[in-house]
Amino acid sequence: MPYKAPHSPAAIASSKRRALKYAEKNREKLREKNRLYYEENQEKEKQRAKDYREENPEIIKKHNNTPKRKEWKKEYNKREDVKYKNKICSWKHYGIISDNWEEVYILYCSIEYCMNCNVDIEGWNKHLDHNHDTGEIRGILCKNCNVKDAFKNL
């Protein structure tokens, strides 16, 4: 094999091929190594990612607005586990408190009628009513009853 300059295009291509072949053979080993590194350096990695996003907003915006990314996000958000996680996160953001989120989510999904006016509710019309002072859940209401604060005096 003839000598290749270390930075020649041929040497770089050869190095990439070897690296890809190694990664294919040792996928699980590398995944575990990366997981352990991330666990040990989690705060450092989060800060590095945050700094990158702040320094490169145009790259992030461009990446997030590609048709392929939009399609992936649309499909990703249809998954049940993602819907569950997003809904719980939303409720926590609004100050709702619960000891058993799974039970609350199952109740929320199973209710088809407003607990106050018995109107058929689904999608954006369904709201988890709660006491804004204590975070205690009061019921599942339609948008109109939730705006009127129908359970406020119960």
Side-chain angles (χ1 to χ4, degrees), residues 4-17:
K4 295 180 196 167
H7 300 293
S8 71
I12 293 171
S14 174
S15 177
K16 284 183 180 179
R17 281 192 303 275

Side-chain angles (χ1 to χ4, degrees), residues 8 13 23 30 32 37 47 49 51 60 72 102 105 116-117 129:
S8 71
L30 291 172
E32 181 64 17
Y37 175 83
Q47 187 61 45
D51 292 344
I60 299 300
W72 174 85
E102 188 172 347
Y105 184 76
N116 186 49
C117 67
D129 186 43

Side-chain angles (χ1 to χ4, degrees), residues 33-71:
K33 180 182 173 187
N34 289 339
R35 187 187 65 75
L36 290 172
Y37 175 83
Y38 184 78
E39 280 180 8
E40 293 172 9
N41 300 285
Q42 193 170 10
E43 291 305 315
K44 179 180 157 186
E45 287 299 307
K46 283 182 178 179
Q47 187 61 45
R48 184 185 61 77
K50 182 180 178 184
D51 292 344
Y52 179 83
R53 287 190 305 272
E54 287 173 357
E55 292 169 9
N56 302 288
E58 68 286 341
I59 293 173
I60 299 300
K61 186 175 182 179
K62 183 180 176 185
H63 169 74
N64 288 339
N65 288 327
T66 62
K68 186 177 180 181
R69 172 76 176 178
K70 286 180 180 178
E71 184 61 31

Side-chain angles (χ1 to χ4, degrees), residues 84-108:
Y84 173 80
K85 180 186 68 131
N86 288 343
K87 187 57 75 176
I88 301 301
C89 188
S90 168
W91 289 337
K92 287 179 180 179
H93 173 77
Y94 285 112
I96 299 172
I97 298 169
S98 174
D99 294 332
N100 190 345
W101 287 111
E102 188 172 347
E103 192 176 292
V104 173
Y105 184 76
I106 290 169
L107 174 69
Y108 177 83

